[in-house]
């Protein structure tokens, strides 16, 4: 299957360090070589930039450039793909993007959903993955509920309900952001870590790279990273409980739902 990565921060922050570790797993230290993608919201106005390729991230010059690019954002989302459903093609690479109620939404999924995913509604897949079909169904469900795009509580509740239903159909772990918040759902496996003062050093598990965060942050900075597997080997990551859902804003968890021990 795939691996996920996202960032939520209270100050514009680049994802160089984490993305470098993730990209190494995209065909070199891991088997996720069927494509990659990265989406980043401009912190000044929320404009969205997306990079996607149907090649292995570990050997992509574009991915290597992004790992060195100071692409600061309050919300970023990345994905490396191991195809389980759908062709190895650009249209099947995550993150997927749609506009809902005037907002840019991006979505990435790790898992394998079995059975029928309802297809009725305004949003339809371009490619042929269960992931994009799930994203479209979620957006159609939001439309059907007639939700106000500013009603965060109702949106979170609907996202949890949809996620739980998809988790009952197989393996469903996802990340979703609209540049205002980050939604994370750990159906089976998702990890998180929040870095805040006092900052320490971190070393990538998949590369010989160490960063002293105390040298590149301010004492008020808060940065939360969500990923399928821990990206560093000397920090304490938390494994989300099964079917635990989080809504993060400015690096902090502002809403949480459910979770059950396996």
């Amino acid at each position: 299957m795939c691996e996920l990565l996202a960032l939520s921060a209270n100050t514009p922050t680049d994802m160089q360090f984490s993305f470098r570790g993730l990209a190494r797993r995209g065909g070199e230290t891991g088997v996720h070589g069927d494509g990659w993608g990265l989406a980043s919201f401009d912190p000044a106005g929320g404009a969205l930039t997306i990079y996607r390729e149907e090649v292995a991230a570990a050997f992509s010059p574009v991915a290597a450039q992004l790992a060195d690019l100071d692409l600061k954002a309050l919300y970023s989302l990345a994905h490396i793909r191991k195809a389980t459903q759908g062709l190895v093609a650009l249209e099947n690479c995550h993150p997927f993007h749609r506009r809902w109620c005037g907002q840019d939404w991006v979505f990435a999924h790790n898992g394998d959903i079995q059975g029928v995913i309802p297809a009725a509604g305004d949003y339809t897949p371009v490619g042929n993955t269960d992931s994009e079909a799930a994203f479209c169904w979620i957006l159609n469900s939001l439309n059907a509920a007639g939700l106000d795009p500013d009603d965060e509580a109702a949106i979170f509740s609907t996202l949890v309900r949809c996620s739980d239903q998809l988790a009952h159909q197989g393996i469903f772990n996802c990340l979703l952001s609209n540049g205002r918040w980050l939604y994370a759902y750990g159906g089976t496996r998702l990890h998180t870590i929040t870095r805040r003062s006092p900052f320490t050093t971190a070393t990538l598990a998949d590369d010989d790279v160490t960063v002293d965060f105390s040298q590149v942050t301010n004492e008020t900075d808060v940065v939360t990273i969500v990923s399928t597997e821990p990206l560093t080997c000397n920090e304490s990551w938390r494994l989300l409980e099964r079917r635990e859902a989080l809504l993060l804003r400015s690096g902090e968890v502002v809403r949480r739902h459910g979770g059950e021990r396996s």
Side-chain angles (χ1 to χ4, degrees), residues 33-117:
D34 295 330
W36 66 274
L38 185 150
S40 179
F41 288 91
D42 177 4
L48 177 65
T49 302
I50 302 178
Y51 304 86
R52 297 195 308 172
E53 286 187 304
E54 70 275 30
V55 300
F59 309 112
S60 163
V62 177
Q65 290 173 10
L66 285 177
D68 290 327
L69 186 64
D70 189 19
L71 191 66
K72 292 188 181 297
L74 300 178
Y75 300 94
S76 296
L77 195 156
H79 180 275
I80 51 174
R81 184 175 185 232
K82 174 62 177 175
T84 54
Q85 295 189 39
L87 302 173
V88 177
L90 184 61
E91 61 267 24
N92 290 330
C93 292
H94 312 217
F96 300 105
H97 167 240
R98 296 291 191 279
R99 286 184 63 82
W100 182 74
C101 291
Q103 301 173 1
D104 288 298
W105 284 41
V106 289
F107 171 89
H109 165 237
N110 162 26
D112 189 11
I113 305 169
Q114 302 299 316
V116 176
I117 299 173

Side-chain angles (χ1 to χ4, degrees), residues 4-25:
L4 305 170
L5 168 65
L7 170 149
S8 171
N10 68 346
T11 188
T13 303
D14 70 72
M15 205 164 61
Q16 290 178 339
F17 179 69
S18 296
F19 183 70
R20 183 183 302 277
L22 183 76
R24 290 267 292 175
R25 297 177 181 178

